């Protein structure tokens, strides 16, 4: 999953604002555990992906999430012994001693998975909506030293090449009769470890060529470099940043006041939906949509 | 522009010098080719000019070098970069940004150019190189040729007077290579840029350069006009393009009269020759006799369709192909036409989405790659990527152990024989990646042939090989084939195909567009026409199916003897 150029304006608008929006959703996901609040936060991200014409692509990337969540729910439910609302309990189980599954652990695993969904989805959108050049400009705007910024962007730029190298090395070994997929899980992992050495050698060779090329492109020659692309802020971008921080402050306030939370431990309660909850989530939805619209009206990268 | 006096350089921890007593003068507007066998010091000389030696590569350095009055030993490459631009072999490793315009601007940003100057320079250079339409594109969406153009543009915007290009066409197909060379000529003529390139394949560049520097074992052994170097220095003979080879070996004294290098000159020379000599009317070309279609194919591909994912485009479409024992097949096509994807289906590295593959009449889809590899040997494009054991002996041992050869004595005996057959015994304890490219390719072939497969599949096997290494390698494949085995290779090397292939398959957009004997196929596809065929097409007295210098010499042989 990587950024691809898109005719949609959001892909080209202010990367720093997009960065702040997606980071804010990352934070929001940890503030609440009430399903209604989480649904609305996720809905905002979905609307963003639809307007940015990245919905299908983002959904494709989510398929790995479901595998992870499946494992997470099973492990979390089986291993988390907290809570008083018991589903199954065996007092004497060989090796384990006792075995307990609680409603609390089960619900908690679902809520955590939902929070994780928002985190992962904002990360997916980050990848789809911010290309490495834009990320570079964003990090520069955040005043990170240029050498570190270049290092990060080069790692992202060369990651697909590294993946390609790994595929070739794996093909080479298969073609020489080495059965990478043979054996049990740990045997497979051990067999695959042999790919690391040639990959490392290759990467070292590539890094030498990259450094040569950087030298001949006058990298780090002048103390002060100029920038071809700059993040250009319009009024709408400033407004959007103001809204992001405003929303963040408001949601932290709600959290402190106890809204958007329902009790799972030690006693499980049924999440209630009050009138003020509906008002708040409607507010989050409206603010989220306005952020997206403002993003569309924001400044381009150049 | 460049003055080099008695320059010698030995890399750290190497016994012999990479450059020895080099003296060279380059004037403004020169278009120079540096050529010679692999490892002769071409790249090292380039590194000395752009300052990578001694600032990036350490070693023992003596002599003097002046580049535009500056001493690269004292100035770092980044300081020299505004005067000397370098474009490397692999464009992939010299592009750092994600979009074309940002990439081109990168060097100017480092030099502190203001934004408006960057805009105008980018536009100017893109117009010069004819790719303004690419400026807003993402690097990942570009073809190899386009990437090489972007790499060139990103150097040119920095305004260097001298342009160094290390094997710039090696990753390109013939179309893209021709386009790039034409661009370089226009830069040389229109902007008086001094251009120095290295290249093995003289036929790709001979029409464009005005001076050749021939190197051997770190020394310059010839430095003159292309005609002078190619016709007067015996060491240059092996590098000669086919047209030169023909005129150098023409079986009469008339050969001393003509010294053409380009197709244009060769046409004039041939016109004169035909006034004196008559080509044989009875010349009969003896092409390879195709196997009977009713005989049993070694490998049978029926209606193969392939794509990487459900949402991606088809990479292979409706490919049907039979490979018979003893055939030497070349697959040709533009970059991205699906050639490597097709090869990978032949040993099971990729499985078709639709269609059937039979190996010796058995369904190959049910066989693992390891099982297939016993019958189908696969040589990858980059030989160095195939080595990762401590030494060559262990590489062979690894393959034999993978195939269940448990007895150490049997393994040792097989390894000894194989090393001997491929003349690699002295490298037995050497790390594979430290061998020369020709030796690496030979070693890669040896590891594959340990298992005595009956079909050998090779992806661009002549890539990076010099003429001598290439000839040795192709002769070996030819012998292997004459023993009833089959060879199938993907290549952009037209002259090699014209000389060795029994059958040519042209692939375009994932489908086979033509399949047949080389003399029937190659003359019909503009980028794949061999140099000799381009010449003979101009003369109705000469059969138009002649592809190689050897064929053409045969056409004149009896008449002139």
């Amino acid at each position: 999953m990587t950024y691809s150029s898109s005719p949609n304006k959001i892909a080209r608008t202010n990367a720093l604002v997009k960065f702040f929006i997606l980071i804010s959703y990352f934070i929001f996901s940890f503030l609440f555990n009430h399903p209604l609040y989480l649904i609305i936060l996720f809905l905002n991200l979905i609307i963003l992906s639809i307007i940015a014409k990245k919905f299908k692509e983002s959904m494709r990337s989510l398929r790995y999430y479901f595998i992870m969540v499946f494992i997470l729910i099973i492990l979390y439910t089986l291993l988390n012994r907290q809570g008083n609302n018991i589903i199954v309990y065996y007092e004497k189980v060989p090796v384990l001693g006792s075995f307990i599954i609680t409603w609390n652990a089960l619900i908690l695993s679902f809520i955590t998975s939902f929070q994780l969904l928002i985190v992962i989805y904002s990360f997916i959108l980050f990848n789809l909506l911010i290309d490495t050049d834009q990320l570079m400009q964003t990090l520069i705007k955040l005043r990170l030293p240029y050498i570190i910024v270049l290092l990060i962007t080069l790692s992202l730029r060369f990651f697909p090449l590294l993946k390609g190298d790994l595929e070739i090395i794996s093909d080479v070994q298969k073609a020489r009769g080495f059965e990478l997929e043979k054996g049990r899980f740990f045997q497979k992992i051990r067999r695959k470890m042999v790919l690391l050495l040639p990959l490392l050698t290759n990467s070292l060779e590539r890094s030498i060529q990259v450094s040569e090329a950087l030298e001949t492109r006058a990298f780090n020659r002048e103390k002060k470099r100029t920038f071809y692309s700059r993040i250009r802020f319009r009024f709408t971008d400033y407004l959007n940043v103001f809204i992001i921080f405003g929303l963040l402050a408001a949601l932290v306030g709600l959290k402190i006041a106890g809204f958007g939370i329902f009790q799972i431990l030690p006693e499980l309660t049924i999440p209630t939906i009050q009138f003020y909850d509906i008002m708040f989530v409607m507010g989050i939805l409206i603010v989220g949509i306005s952020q997206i619209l403002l993003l569309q009206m924001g400044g381009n990268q150049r | 522009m460049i003055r080099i006096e008695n320059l010698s350089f030995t890399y750290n921890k190497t016994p012999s010098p990479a450059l020895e007593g080099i003296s060279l003068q380059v004037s403004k507007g020169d278009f120079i080719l540096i050529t010679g066998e692999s490892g002769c010091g071409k790249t090292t000389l380039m590194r000395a000019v752009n300052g990578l030696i001694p600032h990036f590569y350490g070693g023992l350095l003596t002599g003097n070098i002046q580049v535009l009055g500056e001493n690269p030993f004292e100035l770092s490459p980044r300081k020299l970069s505004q005067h000397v631009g370098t474009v490397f072999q692999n464009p992939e490793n010299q592009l750092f940004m994600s979009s074309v315009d940002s990439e081109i601007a990168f060097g100017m940003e480092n030099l502190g150019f203001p934004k408006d100057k960057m805009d105008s320079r980018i536009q100017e250079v893109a117009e010069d190189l004819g790719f303004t339409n690419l400026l807003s594109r993402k690097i990942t969406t570009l073809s190899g040729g386009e990437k090489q153009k972007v790499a060139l543009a990103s150097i040119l915007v920095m305004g260097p007077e001298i342009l160094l290009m290390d094997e710039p066409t090696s990753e390109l197909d013939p179309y893209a290579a021709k386009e790039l060379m034409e661009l370089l000529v226009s830069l040389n003529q229109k902007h008086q840029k001094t251009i120095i390139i290295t290249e093995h394949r003289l036929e790709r560049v001979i029409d464009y350069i005005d001076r050749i520097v021939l190197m051997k074992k770190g020394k310059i052994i010839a430095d003159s006009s292309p005609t002078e170097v190619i016709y007067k220095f015996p060491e240059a003979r092996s590098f000669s393009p086919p047209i030169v080879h023909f005129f150098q070996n023409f079986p009469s004294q008339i050969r001393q009269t003509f010294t053409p290098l380009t197709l244009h000159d060769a046409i004039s020379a041939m016109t004169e020759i035909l006034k004196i000599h008559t080509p044989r009317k009875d010349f009969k070309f003896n092409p390879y006799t195709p196997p009977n279609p009713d005989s049993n194919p070694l490998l049978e591909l029926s209606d193969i369709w392939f794509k990487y994912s459900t949402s991606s485009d088809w990479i292979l479409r409706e490919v049907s192909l039979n490979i018979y024992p003893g055939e030497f097949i070349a697959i040709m096509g533009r970059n991205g036409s699906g050639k490597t994807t097709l090869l990978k289906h032949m040993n099971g590295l990729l499985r078709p989405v639709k269609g059937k593959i039979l190996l010796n009449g058995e369904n190959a889809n049910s066989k693992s790659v390891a099982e297939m590899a016993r019958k189908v040997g696969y040589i990858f494009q980059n030989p160095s990527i195939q080595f990762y054991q401590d030494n060559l002996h262990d590489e062979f041992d690894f393959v034999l152990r993978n195939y269940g050869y448990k007895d150490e004595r049997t393994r040792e005996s097989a390894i000894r024989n194989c090393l001997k057959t491929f003349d690699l015994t002295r490298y037995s304890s050497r790390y594979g990646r430290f061998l020369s490219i020709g030796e690496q390719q030979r070693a890669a072939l040896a590891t594959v042939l340990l298992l005595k497969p009956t079909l050998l599949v090779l992806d661009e096997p002549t890539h990076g090989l010099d003429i001598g290494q290439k000839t040795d390698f192709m002769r070996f494949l030819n012998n292997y084939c004459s023993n009833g085995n089959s060879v199938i290779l993907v290549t952009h090397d037209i002259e090699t195909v014209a000389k060795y292939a029994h059958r040519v398959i042209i692939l375009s957009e994932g489908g086979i567009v033509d399949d047949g004997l080389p003399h029937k196929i190659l003359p019909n596809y503009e980028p794949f026409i061999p140099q000799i065929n381009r010449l003979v097409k101009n003369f109705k007295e000469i059969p138009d199916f002649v592809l190689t210098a050897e064929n053409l010499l045969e056409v004149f042989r009896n008449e002139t003897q």
Side-chain angles (χ1 to χ4, degrees), chain A residues 131 176 206 209 215 226, chain B residues 78 93 113 138 388 395:
Chain A
D131 73 4
R176 291 172 13 143
R206 191 187 294 284
Q209 289 169 21
E215 278 287 321
T226 48
Chain B
R78 62 187 77 158
N93 292 341
F113 281 29
K138 294 282 150 194
Y388 77 96
E395 294 288 348

Side-chain angles (χ1 to χ4, degrees), chain A residues 91-121:
Chain A
E91 203 174 343
K92 285 179 184 169
V93 174
V95 186
L96 295 173
S98 64
F99 178 74
I100 185 166
I101 295 178
T102 65
W103 280 109
N104 312 67
L106 186 65
I107 297 294
L108 200 57
S109 70
F110 275 102
I111 293 293
T112 311
S113 302
F114 205 165
Q115 288 172 321
L116 201 63
L117 174 68
I118 296 170
V119 170
I120 289 177
Y121 199 65

Side-chain angles (χ1 to χ4, degrees), chain B residues 265-307:
Chain B
D265 294 345
I267 292 170
S268 312
M270 184 59 90
T271 311
E272 294 304 313
I273 285 179
L274 287 173
K275 286 178 186 166
I276 308 163
H277 299 290
T278 317
R280 272 169 54 188
K281 293 264 187 307
D282 63 337
F283 173 75
K284 274 195 183 147
F285 182 54
N286 281 328
Y288 173 77
T289 318
N292 180 355
D294 293 333
S295 62
N296 288 337
L298 186 61
L299 190 72
E300 203 175 339
L301 285 83
S302 321
D303 197 17
I304 299 298
W305 290 75
F306 178 80
K307 58 179 170 179

Side-chain angles (χ1 to χ4, degrees), chain A residues 216, chain B residues 46 50 85-91 94 147-156 163-168 180 184 196:
Chain A
T216 56
Chain B
M46 292 277 211
N50 64 16
T86 311
V87 179
F88 298 90
Q89 212 177 100
N90 185 353
Q94 52 193 317
K147 280 181 187 164
Q148 195 61 294
K149 276 191 206 169
V150 173
L152 174 61
S154 57
I155 291 297
L156 287 175
L163 199 56
L164 306 179
M165 301 192 79
D166 195 4
E167 299 201 25
L180 182 72
L184 292 182
I196 305 178

Side-chain angles (χ1 to χ4, degrees), chain A residues 174-239:
Chain A
K174 282 191 218 162
R176 291 172 13 143
F178 191 65
E179 300 201 54
L180 285 164
E181 305 298 333
K182 205 175 173 181
R184 293 183 178 181
F185 183 69
F186 286 107
Q187 281 174 316
K188 275 185 199 169
I189 290 182
R190 215 177 58 198
R191 283 175 163 261
K192 285 188 176 170
M193 293 300 273
V194 302
L195 304 179
L196 290 181
L197 187 64
L199 185 68
L200 190 68
T201 318
N202 253 31
S203 308
L204 283 174
E205 279 175 9
R206 191 187 294 284
S207 68
I208 292 171
Q209 289 169 21
V210 170
S211 334
E212 273 186 305
L214 279 170
E215 278 287 321
T216 56
R217 298 274 290 280
F219 177 66
N220 224 5
R221 181 180 133 153
E222 305 294 329
K223 275 188 181 162
K224 205 174 170 191
R225 81 192 297 276
T226 48
F227 293 97
Y228 173 65
S229 306
R230 278 195 177 278
I231 292 178
R232 194 182 290 168
F233 270 82
R234 284 188 186 170
F235 171 72
T236 47
D237 294 322
Y238 287 114
L239 188 61

